[in-house]
Amino acid sequence: MKIRIMFRLSLLSAASLRVSASTARNFLKGAASSLSTAASEHESHHYEKRLTEQSMCQNLRHMEYAVRGKVVIKADEINQKLQNPNEKSSFPFDHIVYTNIGNPHSVGQKPLTWPRQVLALVDLPDEVGINHPLAKKIFPQDAIERAKLIKKGLAYHGSGAYTHSQGPLIFREEICRFIEKRDGLEEGEIDPNNIFMTNGASSGIEMVLNALIADSTSGVMIPIPQYPIYSATIDHNGGQKVGYYLDEKNGWDMNLKELERALADAKAKGIDVNSFVLINPGNPTGQVLDKAAIQDIVRFCSKHNLVLLADEVYQENVYGTNAEFYSCRRAARDTGLDKSDEIELVSFHSTSKGLFGECGRRGGYMEMCGFDPAIRDQMYKLASSHLCSNVPGQIMTSLMVNGPKEGDVSYKSHEKEKKDIFESLQKRARIVSDGFNKIPGFSCQPVQGAMYCFPKVTMPSGAIEFAQANGITPDTLYAISLLENTGICVVPASGFGQEKGRYGFRTTFLPSEEEMVNVVEKVSKHYTEFCEKFK
């Protein structure tokens, strides 16, 4: 019996093994078939890019920023070729003169010494900086003391740590004192909680426009011509640009009738205009508005319940004999609109312009005046989402608004460096504007401030026809021709906006005095050749 049972178990085991083997073979065949099918499907599948120009944000796609547009891209391409000995000889010039953007240090302006000394000491660890035995032999005493004060204001965390999202309180208080002194206000009037330190003025402008453009009907009044950050940011956020024209024949002055016209036309189109941009001193136009004009603007904004964005980054760049910078903040006080709480004003300033020219530091601030406290809280939330503006830029802003005082060891040298930069800028402004006005076919308003000339250029009919046939603006055609024949890089005026039928370009006068004399001569010679070619 026992033998029979064992025999049967053996038969079952063998059968089981046969079934298991068979099942395994079938499984392997099925798996191989599945893998073969998957491989075949993978081979036949064509991967398509998920993010394309068609699928991306169309507001971003259609946004334009002229100062780094196609002419500048072309200039960079040529500049690369000029570095190659085999290609350099194919051009009738040996370098690119970049006059397309207000970037002073890139074209030869030297940094101010004292701010860089302080910044270096703040960046250095204490043992090799402020506490080093030889520090007093290398750095002036006022730079060392200021660095110590800044380190304390940064809670001794140094320049590599995040700060308060609006900027350290010590810096914001310095900005408050700067504004109060500039505008004749009593010390302590301005609340540091209304100050936001930003990455240059640009990030502050973007923050405010981000809050203002609620939907596609939101409109922002901007000057024509204007700096393209406004048109670009409005387009990116899906808002409406409401242009008001500056009066070129009257030195790019402001005209109240034109403001009322622009506003009425926009409202008739169903646009909800909620804000007004003022750039003073002007970019790209170089005008400095007088006290009466600024007061008219703040009254206009109050009357029509418009938030006023005052772009005042060139407030130190005023060259006209009878011109003087007068801030919107002061106008709000002098008209009584801030005291009566009938104005919403945000003012912008930056270390990139003026006499510092520290574009790469990305330092700046904005002051909010007359806003609902709840809006300030929302702006704080937005600032917090970016953690904080960069700390070296914050430090540079502190040094811009609170420099060495009379009696300090660095005071005289610091003021002399600033004076030398200012006087050279003033001279270069005259070289360019006067030089352009001597060219037949050119017309350039006197430069009262900022860093730019915005000449009007008469285009030959052939150039207009050629440009239209090739889908570009006539002044873009002119700017590319100027670049390819002289190496001078300017920005077509069409990138800033202008009246229909007007053509021209914007140029800085930041390269050296000698270079700007050469620029004027080359522009004059090229224009003659350009007109002959396209007559």
Side-chain angles (χ1 to χ4, degrees):
M1 180 68 177
K2 184 177 180 182
I3 294 172
R4 286 200 300 270
I5 292 172
M6 291 180 67
F7 178 71
R8 287 174 180 172
L9 288 172
S10 297
L11 289 174
L12 287 171
S13 297
S16 175
L17 286 170
R18 285 196 298 272
V19 171
S20 298
S22 175
T23 301
R25 283 195 298 272
N26 291 336
F27 173 78
L28 290 173
K29 285 181 180 179
S33 176
S34 297
L35 288 170
S36 176
T37 302
S40 177
E41 289 177 353
H42 179 74
E43 288 174 2
S44 63
H45 174 68
H46 175 66
Y47 181 80
E48 294 184 359
K49 299 295 185 185
R50 185 65 185 85
L51 184 62
T52 67
E53 284 195 326
Q54 288 69 41
S55 66
M56 70 180 291
C57 169
Q58 294 303 294
N59 288 342
L60 173 58
R61 181 184 177 187
H62 297 298
M63 182 187 86
E64 293 187 359
Y65 192 64
V67 295
R68 291 186 183 270
K70 61 177 64 178
V71 179
V72 184
I73 293 171
K74 182 72 172 176
D76 289 341
E77 291 173 357
I78 294 174
N79 191 44
Q80 285 295 318
K81 293 178 179 179
L82 288 171
Q83 311 311 311
N84 185 337
N86 296 324
E87 295 184 273
K88 185 174 182 178
S89 60
S90 62
F91 296 96
F93 47 85
D94 59 9
H95 68 286
I96 299 294
V97 183
Y98 285 100
T99 66
N100 61 294
I101 193 167
N103 191 12
H105 292 185
S106 73
V107 287
Q109 179 175 311
K110 292 183 179 179
L112 296 172
T113 305
W114 181 80
R116 288 293 186 94
Q117 290 173 326
V118 177
L119 185 60
L121 286 165
V122 175
D123 280 340
L124 287 168
D126 290 357
E127 61 272 18
V128 293
I130 56 174
N131 292 337
H132 191 276
L134 298 178
K136 293 181 180 180
K137 293 186 177 181
I138 302 172
F139 297 98
Q141 185 62 34
D142 54 357
I144 295 172
E145 293 305 316
R146 184 61 176 275
K148 288 180 179 178
L149 184 64
I150 290 172
K151 282 176 174 282
K152 180 180 179 181
L154 294 173
Y156 300 106
H157 295 150
S159 58
Y162 291 135
T163 68
H164 187 282
S165 292
Q166 288 180 241
L169 180 60
I170 184 175
F171 295 164
R172 285 182 283 135
E173 288 177 336
E174 287 175 320
I175 293 168
C176 291
R177 303 296 88 79
F178 166 78
I179 297 171
E180 289 160 354
K181 182 179 180 181
R182 182 195 68 190
D183 294 337
L185 307 178
E186 292 184 11
E187 186 173 327
E189 276 197 70
I190 295 180
D191 185 351
N193 290 319
N194 290 330
I195 303 294
F196 287 77
M197 301 192 79
T198 55
N199 290 315
S202 301
S203 66
I205 292 165
E206 290 167 352
M207 287 172 65
V208 175
L209 290 175
N210 191 18
L212 284 166
I213 300 173
D215 54 44
S216 60
T217 67
S218 300
V220 183
M221 294 186 70
I222 58 174
I224 304 295
Q226 52 90 35
Y227 183 59
I229 190 173
Y230 294 100
S231 55
T233 306
I234 294 166
D235 286 345
H236 188 204
N237 286 321
Q240 300 292 325
K241 303 185 293 288
V242 179
Y244 63 89
Y245 288 93
L246 302 177
D247 188 353
E248 182 171 9
K249 293 180 181 178
N250 288 307
W252 299 110
D253 202 2
M254 196 79 67
N255 186 313
L256 272 179
K257 288 184 179 180
E258 169 60 14
L259 302 188
E260 294 287 358
R261 178 209 61 77
L263 179 59
D265 286 356
K267 287 183 176 180
K269 296 175 183 175
I271 298 174
D272 178 21
V273 183
N274 60 21
S275 48
F276 183 101
V277 172
L278 172 67
I279 308 175
N280 181 54
N283 177 10
T285 44
Q287 87 282 15
V288 179
L289 297 178
D290 62 20
K291 177 179 178 180
I294 300 296
Q295 291 189 0
D296 282 344
I297 290 164
V298 297
R299 290 192 185 100
F300 174 84
C301 291
S302 178
K303 172 185 173 183
H304 294 289
N305 197 27
L306 303 176
V307 173
L308 174 55
L309 284 70
D311 185 336
E312 299 174 336
V313 301
Y314 298 100
Q315 58 190 261
E316 286 189 272
N317 301 104
V318 178
Y319 316 117
T321 306
N322 298 316
E324 181 181 359
F325 173 72
Y326 179 79
S327 74
C328 286
R329 187 68 174 81
R330 184 164 186 174
R333 169 54 54 89
D334 291 347
T335 57
L337 293 172
D338 68 334
K339 288 290 190 180
S340 61
D341 198 22
E342 295 179 279
I343 187 73
E344 291 165 273
L345 164 66
V346 55
S347 305
F348 305 96
H349 197 11
S350 169
T351 63
S352 300
K353 312 306 177 186
L355 305 176
F356 271 55
E358 293 276 5
C359 298
R361 299 294 172 184
R362 310 306 301 132
Y365 72 82
M366 64 180 185
E367 186 221 352
M368 300 180 69
C369 171
F371 284 86
D372 184 330
I375 291 299
R376 186 180 67 191
D377 292 343
Q378 293 297 326
M379 296 305 291
Y380 176 73
K381 179 175 68 177
L382 182 57
S384 298
S385 72
H386 300 142
L387 301 176
C388 70
S389 61
N390 80 89
V391 180
Q394 293 178 0
I395 295 168
M396 195 59 70
T397 303
S398 161
L399 301 173
M400 177 184 72
V401 300
N402 186 19
K405 301 297 185 290
E406 192 166 0
D408 290 346
V409 65
S410 299
Y411 175 77
K412 288 184 178 179
S413 60
H414 183 67
E415 291 301 310
K416 183 181 185 303
E417 287 179 5
K418 288 169 63 179
K419 182 174 180 287
D420 289 345
I421 292 170
F422 177 84
E423 290 179 348
S424 180
L425 285 170
Q426 189 176 43
K427 184 176 180 180
R428 281 174 273 169
R430 289 194 300 269
I431 289 171
V432 179
S433 59
D434 291 351
F436 284 165
N437 276 323
K438 292 177 182 177
I439 302 174
F442 272 54
S443 173
C444 186
Q445 294 297 316
V447 178
Q448 295 180 308
M451 297 177 171
Y452 315 99
C453 287
F454 197 66
K456 179 180 180 180
V457 180
T458 302
M459 288 289 166
S461 58
I464 297 172
E465 293 169 2
F466 183 88
Q468 290 173 344
N470 287 273
I472 60 174
T473 64
D475 43 19
T476 299
L477 172 67
Y478 169 83
I480 291 174
S481 176
L482 180 67
L483 170 66
E484 292 178 337
N485 286 279
T486 68
I488 299 168
C489 180
V490 299
V491 185
S494 52
F496 301 89
Q498 57 190 336
E499 290 185 341
K500 187 177 181 180
R502 183 195 189 275
Y503 308 108
F505 61 87
R506 187 195 79 168
T507 179
T508 72
F509 42 82
L510 294 175
S512 69
E513 294 171 19
E514 181 182 0
E515 186 82 273
M516 293 317 300
V517 169
N518 292 332
V519 164
V520 172
E521 292 176 354
K522 289 181 179 181
V523 167
S524 179
K525 181 175 182 294
H526 168 263
Y527 181 65
T528 300
E529 296 169 350
F530 182 82
C531 290
E532 181 64 27
K533 178 179 179 180
F534 290 103
K535 64 182 179 181

